[in-house]
Amino acid sequence: MKMMMMISNNNNALLLIKLLTLHSLLVLAASQDFDFFYFVQQWPGSYCDTKQSCCYPSTGKPASDFGIHGLWPNRNDGSYPSNCDSTNPFDVSKISDLTSHMQSEWPTLSCPSNNGLAFWGHEWDKHGTCSESVLNQHDYFATTLSLKNQIDLLQALKSAGVQPNGQKYTLSSIKSAIQGASGFTPWIECNNDTSGNSQLYQIYLCVDSSASRFIQCPVFPKGSCGSSIEFPKF
């Protein structure tokens, strides 16, 4: 009887090991299922002046600067993975040393006012978990903050005479300014203000699959802006 119990326990242990190994392989396979990242920044003025409007975070009105939206794994065919690992949810304690920096560089504008945790949690759960083959949770946010520091989008636009003053600028001048500063062609996403005017909303640049350097985008998202778009105040 004792021998049979030992065999049973060994079989259970082996089964558990196999299940854990299978789970790890599935998570790894899912997290590696991408070719590059979109690094996306948004202009707060264009988020706030829509019909949806916005709410400032509990820490106060963000600076008049582009804020991070996210770092999104994507594939060369235009598709993307999402929500890759439900066993590793967002844990703010893992980024406690980054929180103050994130509040300034990665602010939330959704209503009602909040401290940003829901926004950051969404970005990690949907996108970050799909990058676990190269970035753990802390590195995902730290790397994204570092990418923002490498290229000053607002300064690049201002240096080219493109100011957030409510005036209209050509789409080509906006792209040229960013390409001149970064060395890479950006993709520009527009939205509409309450009057229906097309405006500069988000700027996409691409990063290689190791999240270590900017690259030319293998593919751009769908959609387009007009030839002349507004750059609203904030």
Side-chain angles (χ1 to χ4, degrees):
M1 178 65 70
K2 187 174 182 180
M3 181 64 71
M4 292 179 64
M5 290 179 64
M6 290 178 60
I7 293 174
S8 177
N9 289 337
N10 287 338
N11 287 339
N12 289 337
L14 288 172
L15 178 60
L16 180 59
I17 292 171
K18 288 180 179 179
L19 289 173
L20 290 173
T21 301
L22 178 61
H23 175 266
S24 298
L25 289 173
L26 288 173
V27 169
L28 183 61
S31 62
Q32 290 178 324
D33 188 21
F34 66 95
D35 301 303
F36 68 98
F37 291 92
Y38 282 132
F39 175 50
V40 187
Q41 298 183 64
Q42 63 184 9
W43 179 248
S46 300
Y47 184 103
C48 291
D49 69 358
T50 62
K51 291 180 180 179
Q52 178 179 321
S53 191
C54 75
C55 292
Y56 298 150
S58 54
T59 51
K61 182 180 178 180
S64 181
D65 192 8
F66 284 91
I68 296 170
H69 188 166
L71 185 66
W72 304 340
N74 271 258
R75 304 185 185 106
N76 290 338
D77 64 3
S79 64
Y80 62 91
S82 65
N83 301 101
C84 295
D85 185 9
S86 61
T87 68
N88 187 18
F90 176 68
D91 180 355
V92 68
S93 69
K94 294 181 178 180
I95 59 166
S96 58
D97 61 316
L98 304 175
T99 302
S100 60
H101 196 189
M102 290 177 64
Q103 287 171 341
S104 62
E105 304 296 335
W106 202 326
T108 179
L109 291 168
S110 62
C111 295
S113 300
N114 61 86
N115 57 12
L117 295 183
F119 181 24
W120 306 332
H122 168 78
E123 291 302 306
W124 168 255
D125 293 340
K126 182 176 181 179
H127 302 289
T129 56
C130 299
S131 67
E132 290 175 336
S133 60
V134 292
L135 300 170
N136 62 32
Q137 193 165 154
H138 181 274
D139 289 345
Y140 174 77
F141 291 102
T143 297
T144 307
L145 290 169
S146 176
L147 290 169
K148 185 178 189 301
N149 290 335
Q150 292 180 39
I151 301 172
D152 189 332
L153 293 180
L154 184 59
Q155 186 56 52
L157 291 169
K158 285 182 174 181
S159 296
V162 180
Q163 303 277 349
N165 54 11
Q167 301 299 311
K168 289 188 175 182
Y169 298 91
T170 64
L171 180 63
S172 60
S173 66
I174 292 171
K175 286 184 175 180
S176 294
I178 297 169
Q179 185 168 2
S182 68
F184 302 102
T185 304
W187 189 78
I188 309 299
E189 179 182 355
C190 294
N191 66 359
N192 296 320
D193 64 15
T194 53
S195 300
N197 298 310
S198 180
Q199 58 186 3
L200 173 61
Y201 174 41
Q202 298 198 127
I203 296 176
Y204 291 60
L205 288 167
C206 291
V207 181
D208 71 353
S209 60
S210 65
S212 59
R213 62 186 181 88
F214 286 98
I215 60 171
Q216 289 290 358
C217 289
V219 62
F220 288 122
K222 295 180 180 179
S224 62
C225 297
S227 59
S228 179
I229 59 177
E230 186 178 326
F231 193 6
K233 298 177 182 179
F234 181 66

